[in-house]
């Protein structure tokens, strides 16, 4: 064979020898010189091998798999700025359609004027929903000549951390309803103990981060309606449906939690959770335009034409909304229903097998949303943190954490079942849990494992 001389640098992949071997690449400042794209790709690609496998990450709620056609569409629209609706009118139209689909899914009044917007995720959606409630409360108080210096918000101590951020950022007193050792959701009676004339809104959760359970939204709603009638108030309800908003309509269609309840004024949901879209998409919808104060809407014209905006973020890629629209059109209601039923079956298969293992007690079985939580029995000589640590040796990421206020001494493991995690992987996970238990029983840990930090992802 004749080996011809090739002069182009691109013909070599200098990942392990070549330009990168000549001098170290600084970590914390920009290099002085350019590098070959293939070499940079290989360096970063190899470094990312140290990350855990997203498919084996049972901690996160966010989507880790989408169809190739959806990925292709999203790759084609990375460069479209979602905020520039004059330049990208069709992307804006797709956003409009998605908001309408979500409003319809949440039973917005057909004869009303529901309004909403897509967001980076539920964190931004929560901020917008909370701001609208605070502004409306302030308007009502000012119109009545009442002070506006002590707003409060009533929510369970099991809320996602973004609600704590909202209250701190926007100067609202958070009134956390405590849980108990036997019940990890709020109850209507305890909620009402924290409500008063300064309450900006009440925040029940459709699918809690800690256990995946639904809170009794209709019962809370009815108590709030009665309280408003008695005291001449208009305290609204905002439903945090980040986790359950794209599950309940398909698995629990008769459950009343959404705009069928008249005092539910706004709802947030995460498209990148059970909306089945990659991270970066959420929604907030108000039951009517009157619930969104005009003071929160800004108008700009420097992108070409008058453009109203009421999001916290400005520029963002349009590919997430395109991916969400793909799912809506591709799957339809029946497709979402079948997927959610399959995920629920997998979750309940796991919880049933765990309940039979012996050392565990199931806290939530995955029947509400495909999320299950379980704890070790008091007689067990190891903790959930030991189990989590042992599972990590096989690549499985199953978070262990303590429950919120008034139940901090209860620690659980949680498994989130997402699309792409079928019965085969479920059985592999169960086998790994069984091996972890066998190891811990054969080699009892000398002392409790430290509780690691817990992320509400």
């Amino acid at each position: 064979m004749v080996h011809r001389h090739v002069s182009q640098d691109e013909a070599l992949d200098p990942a392990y020898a070549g330009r990168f071997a000549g001098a170290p690449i600084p970590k914390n400042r920009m290099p002085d010189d350019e590098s070959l794209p293939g070499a940079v790709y290989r360096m970063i690609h190899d470094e990312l091998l140290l990350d855990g496998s997203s498919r084996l990450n049972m901690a996160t709620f966010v989507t880790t798999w989408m169809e190739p056609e959806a990925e292709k569409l999203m790759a084609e629209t990375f460069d479209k700025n979602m905020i520039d609706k004059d330049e990208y009118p069709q992307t804006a139209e797709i956003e409009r359609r998605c908001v309408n689909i979500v409003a319809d899914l949440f039973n917005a009044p057909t004869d009303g004027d529901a309004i909403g917007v897509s967001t980076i995720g539920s964190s931004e959606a929560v901020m917008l929903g909370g701001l609208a409630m605070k502004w409306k409360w302030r308007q009502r108080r000012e119109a009545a000549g009442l002070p506006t210096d002590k707003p409060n918000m009533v929510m369970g101590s099991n809320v996602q951390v973004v609600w704590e951020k909202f209250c701190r950022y926007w100067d609202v007193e958070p009134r956390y309803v405590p849980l108990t050792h036997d019940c990890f959701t709020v109850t209507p009676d305890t909620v009402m103990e924290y409500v008063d004339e300064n309450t900006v809104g009440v925040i029940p959760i459709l699918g809690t981060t800690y256990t995946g359970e639904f809170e009794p939204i209709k019962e809370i709603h009815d108590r709030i309606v009665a309280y408003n009638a008695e005291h001449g108030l208009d305290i609204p309800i905002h439903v945090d449906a980040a986790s359950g908003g794209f599950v309940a309509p398909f698995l629990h269609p008769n459950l009343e939690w959404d705009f069928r309840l008249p005092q539910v004024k706004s709802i947030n949901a995460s498209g990148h959770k059970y909306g089945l879209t990659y991270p970066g998409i959420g929604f907030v919808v108000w039951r009517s335009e009157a619930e969104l104060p005009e003071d929160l809407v800004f108008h700009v014209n420097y992108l070409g034409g008058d453009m109203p905006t009421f999001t916290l973020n400005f520029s963002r890629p349009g590919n997430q909304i395109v991916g969400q629209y793909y799912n809506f059109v591709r799957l339809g209601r029946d497709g979402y229903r079948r997927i959610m039923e399959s995920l629920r079956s997998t979750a309940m298969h796991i919880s049933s097998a765990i309940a039979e293992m012996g050392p565990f007690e199931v806290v939530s079985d995955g029947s509400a949303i495909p999320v299950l939580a379980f704890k070790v029995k008091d007689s067990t000589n190891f903790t959930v943190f030991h189990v989590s640590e042992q599972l990590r040796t096989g690549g499985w990421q199953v978070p262990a954490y303590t429950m919120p206020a008034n139940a901090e001494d209860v620690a659980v493991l949680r498994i989130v079942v997402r699309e792409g995690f079928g019965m085969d992987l479920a059985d592999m996970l169960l086998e790994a849990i069984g091996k972890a238990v066998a190891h811990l029983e054969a080699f009892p840990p000398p002392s409790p494992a430290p509780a690691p930090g817990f992320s509400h992802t």
Side-chain angles (χ1 to χ4, degrees):
M1 180 179 291
V2 178
H3 297 280
R4 298 186 182 277
H5 174 66
V6 178
S7 59
Q8 293 95 341
D9 287 336
E10 289 79 3
L12 291 173
D13 184 354
Y16 304 104
R19 292 189 179 187
F20 273 15
I25 301 298
K27 286 184 178 180
N28 301 313
R29 66 174 178 85
M30 189 179 292
D32 296 327
D33 301 313
E34 296 183 17
S35 299
L36 294 176
V40 175
Y41 168 82
R42 175 54 59 186
M43 181 192 73
I44 298 173
H45 172 84
D46 288 355
E47 191 166 338
L48 290 173
L49 292 175
L50 297 173
D51 279 347
S53 168
S54 62
R55 295 287 294 280
L56 302 184
N57 181 4
M58 310 315 296
T60 183
F61 280 78
V62 302
T63 296
T64 55
W65 180 88
M66 289 185 74
E67 291 180 329
E69 292 82 0
E71 292 181 338
K72 183 179 179 182
L73 275 172
M74 294 179 76
E76 292 171 353
T77 49
F78 269 122
D79 60 335
K80 294 188 177 183
N81 189 355
M82 188 71 229
I83 197 65
D84 196 344
K85 294 173 171 45
D86 187 71
E87 184 70 20
Y88 305 114
Q90 205 55 38
T91 303
E93 167 62 14
I94 286 175
E95 181 191 26
R96 187 196 66 80
R97 294 176 191 174
C98 284
V99 170
N100 274 271
I101 289 169
V102 174
D104 179 69
L105 196 63
F106 296 166
N107 292 292
T110 55
D111 58 348
D113 56 351
I115 189 172
V117 69
S118 70
T119 60
I120 292 293
S122 270
S123 292
E124 183 185 10
V126 159
M127 292 289 177
L128 295 173
L131 280 172
M133 285 189 290
K134 181 181 178 181
W135 257 242
K136 292 291 292 183
W137 170 83
R138 188 171 62 189
Q139 289 173 359
R140 291 192 298 270
R141 300 282 291 180
E142 288 175 345
L146 298 171
T148 62
D149 59 332
K150 295 182 179 180
N152 69 69
M153 184 173 284
V154 177
M155 63 196 94
S157 61
N158 56 344
V159 291
Q160 214 265 7
V161 69
V162 68
W163 287 105
E164 181 180 352
K165 289 182 179 181
F166 169 81
C167 290
R168 189 175 301 176
Y169 292 165
W170 305 108
D171 198 22
V172 175
E173 176 198 352
R175 292 189 172 180
Y176 295 117
V177 180
L179 309 183
T180 68
H181 289 82
D182 301 319
C183 181
F184 302 118
T185 60
V186 299
T187 66
D189 286 342
T190 52
V191 166
M192 298 312 298
E193 293 175 11
Y194 292 81
V195 172
D196 63 22
E197 64 177 353
N198 288 312
T199 299
V200 167
V202 176
I203 319 296
I205 311 172
L206 189 78
T208 69
T209 300
Y210 285 88
T211 62
E213 295 172 281
F214 292 160
E215 297 198 310
I217 296 173
K218 185 179 187 307
E219 290 81 357
I220 293 171
H221 169 272
D222 292 347
R223 295 288 295 274
I224 293 294
V225 169
Y227 185 90
N228 284 341
E230 180 182 354
H231 295 87
L233 298 173
D234 189 22
I235 298 171
I237 290 175
H238 174 97
V239 177
D240 184 349
S243 300
F246 288 106
V247 179
F250 308 108
L251 292 186
H252 314 281
N254 297 321
L255 180 67
E256 294 185 41
W257 63 272
D258 52 19
F259 291 126
R260 285 171 288 185
L261 303 175
Q263 205 58 24
V264 171
K265 304 296 187 179
S266 52
I267 300 171
N268 69 276
S270 293
H272 59 216
K273 292 183 179 178
Y274 288 108
L276 309 180
T277 304
Y278 284 140
I281 183 67
F283 297 92
V284 58
V285 180
W286 290 269
R287 72 179 300 114
S288 72
E289 189 172 1
E291 300 303 328
L292 178 63
E294 180 61 30
D295 289 348
L296 294 178
V297 181
F298 297 84
H299 295 266
V300 298
N301 63 6
Y302 44 73
L303 294 175
D306 179 69
M307 182 190 67
T309 173
F310 53 99
T311 54
L312 298 180
N313 291 287
F314 199 67
S315 294
R316 64 184 175 99
N319 63 324
Q320 285 97 347
I321 198 70
V322 170
Q324 185 66 76
Y325 187 59
Y326 172 88
N327 279 339
F328 286 160
V329 175
R330 161 75 174 86
L331 295 172
R333 284 178 175 260
D334 188 61
Y336 268 94
R337 178 187 56 77
R338 287 188 291 105
I339 289 172
M340 297 307 155
E341 287 177 348
S342 175
L343 298 182
R344 177 175 61 181
S345 295
T346 301
M348 296 187 72
H349 168 71
I350 296 172
S351 65
S352 176
I354 286 174
E356 295 176 359
M357 283 187 180
F360 300 117
E361 179 182 337
V362 172
V363 173
S364 59
D365 63 2
S367 58
I369 63 175
V371 174
L372 59 117
F374 55 103
K375 59 183 180 179
V376 298
K377 295 178 179 178
D378 293 338
S379 58
T380 308
N381 62 355
F382 54 83
T383 71
V384 293
F385 302 104
H386 292 119
V387 177
S388 179
E389 184 178 44
Q390 193 65 32
L391 288 172
R392 277 186 176 271
T393 63
W396 294 99
Q397 301 165 64
V398 180
Y401 51 90
T402 57
M403 301 302 284
N406 280 35
E408 300 99 324
D409 57 330
V410 178
V412 300
L413 291 148
R414 187 195 66 205
I415 294 173
V416 180
V417 178
R418 304 177 306 278
E419 189 177 17
F421 192 87
M423 286 293 187
D424 289 341
L425 278 174
D427 287 337
M428 293 179 191
L429 174 58
L430 288 168
E431 182 180 1
I433 294 173
K435 289 181 178 179
V437 169
H439 176 86
L440 292 168
E441 289 178 340
F443 305 96
S447 60
F454 170 54
S455 171
H456 291 265
T457 56

